[in-house]
Amino acid sequence: ERHDSFVAVTSDSKGDTTTSDDKEWRDMISSEPGAKFPPEANRYHLYVSHACPWAHRTVLVVALKGLENVIGMTYVHPTWQYTKPGEDEHRGWVFGSNDGQYLTSTSGSGSFPTSWGEEDPIMGAKAIRDIYERVNDSTGRYILPVLWDKKLNTIVSNESSEIIRMLNLEFNEYASNPDLDLYPVTLAEKIDEINHWIYPSFNNGVYRCGLASTQECYDVAIDELTEAFDKIDLILQNQRFIAGDKLTEADVRLFVTLIRFDEVYDIYFKTNTRSVSKSPAVLNYVREIYQMDNVAKTVDMDMIKAHYYTSHVELNKYSIIPRGVNFVGLLNEPHNRES
């Protein structure tokens, strides 16, 4: 499950939009004897973006499990830049700075403080691309999240679906909330089944809509997304969480798409057949998760919007960020999910 906006999405000859799936960085942190990457406090570091939903999955699990003092974390700047200007045309994630300067979009529009992103505290890299090239990456896809091993100086994984399972299982001796199990054995089959249909039609479906290059491609994607939204809505009208009565990994993966839906995807990716704010069961579900301990601090809607509206110059040449209707404000209102 890989995605990094324009980098990873292509349309095949049938008009279907697909996500490429390079598998080079797929190691696992494991408690097994002799494991190359054993769980240790302060050994691993996550490179993430406030905007990227795949990175947000990992940030959310760190927060829910109480691993903030165990796993380091650095947020990149939301506005993509040319990563090797003058050498090639690659645009991607760069680090920020406290130098008081400003960046523009790659079309030369806007003015965005470098302080919107953090500096790389480990190797002083200027772009995520630099980190990949440091370990002789051959994929050429410089995506987030990146789970870095400070001891062996290498990338452990950039696959969010696997990183969140490592964070859920392997660091309980260090976690402040070790009893939370987001992938319990009793629900594993159900969670996998839900992930199997929500990912292509909904998590990735918003991108399939927004980056479609033909009307036919868009029509297929929006029909599948609308059907998936309605299925999610119906489930949530009848049970508290997407896999049953307990918060699980499936909710983490769903939440990060729903939280971006009204402020970004409805507008920018043309997914306006449905809306979270107009779907009471879905809205209250998002409210409940948002109001859980430590979750709200993982959501920075200003930075989410800054990335989408300033990085994709093909869709928004002048990098105008729409004001929106304060969707996050709705999330602070009481929910009814306990009744």
Side-chain angles (χ1 to χ4, degrees):
E1 296 184 6
R2 305 304 181 85
H3 210 301
D4 207 20
S5 298
F6 281 96
V7 176
V9 175
T10 58
S11 295
D12 66 21
S13 59
K14 297 179 182 178
D16 296 325
T17 308
T18 58
T19 304
S20 56
D21 190 16
D22 297 311
K23 301 185 184 227
E24 181 162 341
W25 303 108
R26 301 287 289 273
D27 281 313
M28 301 293 290
I29 295 171
S30 172
S31 301
E32 293 295 322
K36 182 179 180 181
F37 300 105
E40 296 177 16
N42 302 311
R43 172 171 173 170
Y44 300 101
H45 194 88
L46 277 167
Y47 290 103
V48 296
S49 163
H50 286 291
C52 173
W54 324 104
H56 192 182
R57 292 176 175 182
T58 67
V59 176
L60 194 51
V61 174
V62 167
L64 289 167
K65 292 287 291 189
L67 293 169
E68 295 93 335
N69 296 321
V70 179
I71 306 292
M73 199 174 298
T74 298
Y75 287 91
V76 297
H77 197 281
T79 305
W80 280 356
Q81 300 291 296
Y82 289 110
T83 56
K84 286 197 173 178
E87 294 187 31
D88 59 39
E89 296 297 307
H90 176 262
R91 297 171 293 164
W93 302 108
V94 299
F95 292 95
S97 172
N98 290 317
D99 60 9
Q101 300 299 306
Y102 292 80
L103 301 176
T104 66
S105 71
T106 53
S107 68
S109 298
S111 181
F112 314 112
T114 55
S115 60
W116 280 3
E118 297 175 328
E119 297 179 356
D120 174 22
I122 297 175
M123 61 197 86
K126 299 302 180 184
I128 288 296
R129 176 179 183 172
D130 299 338
I131 292 172
Y132 278 90
E133 291 184 344
R134 175 167 176 165
V135 293
N136 300 313
D137 172 77
S138 62
T139 68
R141 297 180 57 248
Y142 313 119
I143 64 174
L144 294 175
V146 171
L147 180 60
W148 179 263
D149 180 358
K150 295 187 289 183
K151 187 172 183 178
L152 297 182
N153 293 313
T154 192
I155 296 172
V156 179
S157 177
N158 61 5
E159 174 49 67
S160 64
S161 65
E162 294 170 2
I163 294 172
I164 62 175
R165 291 193 179 176
M166 299 180 220
L167 296 172
N168 176 63
L169 179 64
E170 299 294 348
F171 292 89
N172 282 332
E173 65 179 294
Y174 308 109
S176 62
N177 190 18
D179 294 334
L180 174 67
D181 186 357
L182 295 167
Y183 191 68
V185 172
T186 54
L187 288 174
E189 185 176 347
K190 180 67 172 177
I191 292 168
D192 289 343
E193 182 269 324
I194 290 169
N195 290 344
H196 183 71
W197 65 263
I198 286 184
Y199 175 75
S201 61
F202 197 68
N203 298 136
N204 203 37
V206 294
Y207 286 89
R208 293 172 58 218
C209 292
L211 306 181
S213 58
T214 68
Q215 187 67 49
E216 292 77 14
C217 183
Y218 169 78
D219 288 343
V220 169
I222 192 63
D223 284 347
E224 292 180 4
L225 180 137
T226 305
E227 182 180 352
F229 191 105
D230 288 347
K231 184 175 180 180
I232 291 164
D233 191 10
L234 182 61
I235 291 170
L236 295 177
Q237 288 178 40
N238 291 283
Q239 63 191 44
R240 190 166 181 177
F241 297 105
I242 197 66
D245 61 354
K246 294 181 180 180
L247 180 79
T248 69
E249 167 195 293
D251 298 295
V252 169
R253 294 165 52 120
L254 178 56
F255 175 83
V256 297
T257 299
L258 291 173
I259 199 75
R260 291 161 172 76
F261 202 86
D262 284 27
E263 290 276 27
V264 176
Y265 303 142
D266 254 12
I267 304 164
Y268 205 47
F269 283 175
K270 312 175 187 72
T271 64
N272 58 350
T273 57
R274 295 293 183 269
S275 167
V276 172
S277 61
K278 295 178 182 178
S279 306
V282 180
L283 175 60
N284 280 303
Y285 165 81
V286 175
R287 278 178 174 147
E288 178 173 16
I289 296 175
Y290 182 81
Q291 292 172 22
M292 290 179 179
D293 289 347
N294 299 318
V295 171
K297 68 181 182 181
T298 74
V299 178
D300 190 327
M301 191 61 71
D302 288 339
M303 293 298 97
I304 290 171
K305 292 167 65 174
H307 164 66
Y308 285 96
Y309 292 109
T310 71
S311 292
H312 307 148
V313 296
E314 293 87 350
L315 299 183
N316 193 22
K317 179 179 179 181
Y318 298 109
S319 299
I320 304 300
I321 303 173
R323 185 169 297 169
V325 293
N326 190 23
F327 176 74
V328 169
L330 292 176
L331 303 184
N332 290 310
E333 297 177 9
H335 64 81
N336 63 355
R337 303 300 288 176
E338 294 173 342
S339 59

